[in-house]
Amino acid sequence: MIIIIKSKPVHFLVDMDNVIGNWERGMEEKWNHVVPELPYYGYSRPYWEIIECYPAEYGARIYSIFEEPGFFRNLQPMPGAIEALHVLREHGDIHFVSAPLSGERRAGCIIEKSEWLEEQVWENASELLFSTSDKTLVIGDYLFDDCPNIKGRYVPKWKHLLFDDGYRYNESNNSPKINWSNYRRILKI
């Protein structure tokens, strides 16, 4: 599917985890230290929610990996992401939309994601962060997100561009598949 951007400015919304920050690699690096008895499925896991892929008794240990202070701040950028953000910025406005952790790690997660944006993307990028677990509250033209089924309180005002980070989910989604290798062709920019 090709999407032709006809008007400017276009308002791009960009998720962070596994879209611009390599959450998967961060998990993989720590997995064997926390749950060595379980295989790490990585991109071959059957469900988007990692917790659904393993027995319930491992839930707390799996959560502890990404709830650890510093996890989000220390993520590596996804290949091609930072360069792509600069290109998108030439064609419109960008806001980052990311769901924070819940509970006691919520504030720390938001701070770490803000710091990551400042360090990895560009100065003052953190001022463009919407931290919400309901992305339908945010208005834009296009949302780059790896979650195949975004649900929320409202009908989204944006078109979901499913960020294809390599997963082969059991879930169906008719959104255009996009990544940092094909985004220019799909968006015609």
Side-chain angles (χ1 to χ4, degrees):
M1 169 182 273
I2 304 293
I3 299 169
I4 299 174
I5 297 176
K6 294 181 181 177
S7 63
K8 196 174 179 184
V10 176
H11 190 184
F12 298 108
L13 305 173
V14 182
D15 179 38
M16 291 184 67
D17 304 328
N18 276 342
V19 175
I20 59 173
N22 202 334
W23 187 92
E24 202 64 53
R25 183 173 174 195
M27 286 295 287
E28 187 174 22
E29 289 171 353
K30 298 186 180 306
W31 189 267
N32 287 331
H33 300 291
V34 179
V35 281
E37 66 276 22
L38 290 179
Y40 185 67
Y41 296 129
Y43 290 117
S44 64
R45 71 174 182 250
Y47 302 103
W48 184 79
E49 286 284 352
I50 192 168
I51 209 71
E52 294 176 13
C53 302
Y54 298 96
E57 61 266 22
Y58 291 96
R61 288 169 60 195
I62 292 169
Y63 277 118
S64 76
I65 297 171
F66 56 87
E67 288 179 338
E68 180 180 319
F71 178 82
F72 292 97
R73 184 167 193 219
N74 294 320
L75 294 178
Q76 295 298 310
M78 294 290 283
I82 305 307
E83 297 82 4
L85 290 173
H86 288 279
V87 171
L88 291 175
R89 194 175 184 194
E90 293 172 10
H91 294 276
D93 298 323
I94 296 178
H95 277 91
F96 303 98
V97 185
S98 191
L101 294 175
S102 57
E104 63 186 44
R105 276 287 292 139
R106 181 180 183 88
C109 173
I110 295 168
I111 290 168
E112 286 184 26
K113 288 183 178 193
S114 295
E115 291 171 342
W116 190 92
L117 286 169
E118 293 289 324
E119 292 171 11
Q120 300 291 340
V121 180
W122 57 69
E123 188 177 347
N124 300 321
S126 65
E127 295 174 12
L128 304 172
L129 174 62
F130 288 104
S131 185
T132 178
S133 53
D134 185 351
K135 294 177 183 176
T136 67
L137 296 170
V138 183
I139 296 172
D141 296 309
Y142 301 100
L143 172 67
F144 292 78
D145 202 308
D146 65 317
C147 180
N149 298 306
I150 298 173
K151 296 180 176 126
R153 184 173 182 169
Y154 300 103
V155 174
K157 302 288 186 197
W158 35 256
K159 179 166 188 55
H160 182 197
L161 302 175
L162 180 61
F163 193 81
D164 183 8
D165 52 6
Y167 289 115
R168 301 295 177 257
Y169 305 120
N170 287 336
E171 304 170 52
S172 63
N173 181 298
N174 294 325
S175 299
K177 309 287 189 290
I178 199 164
N179 58 48
W180 299 129
S181 297
N182 70 7
Y183 78 100
R184 284 177 163 237
R185 181 178 50 80
I186 289 176
L187 296 175
K188 288 288 193 193
I189 58 174

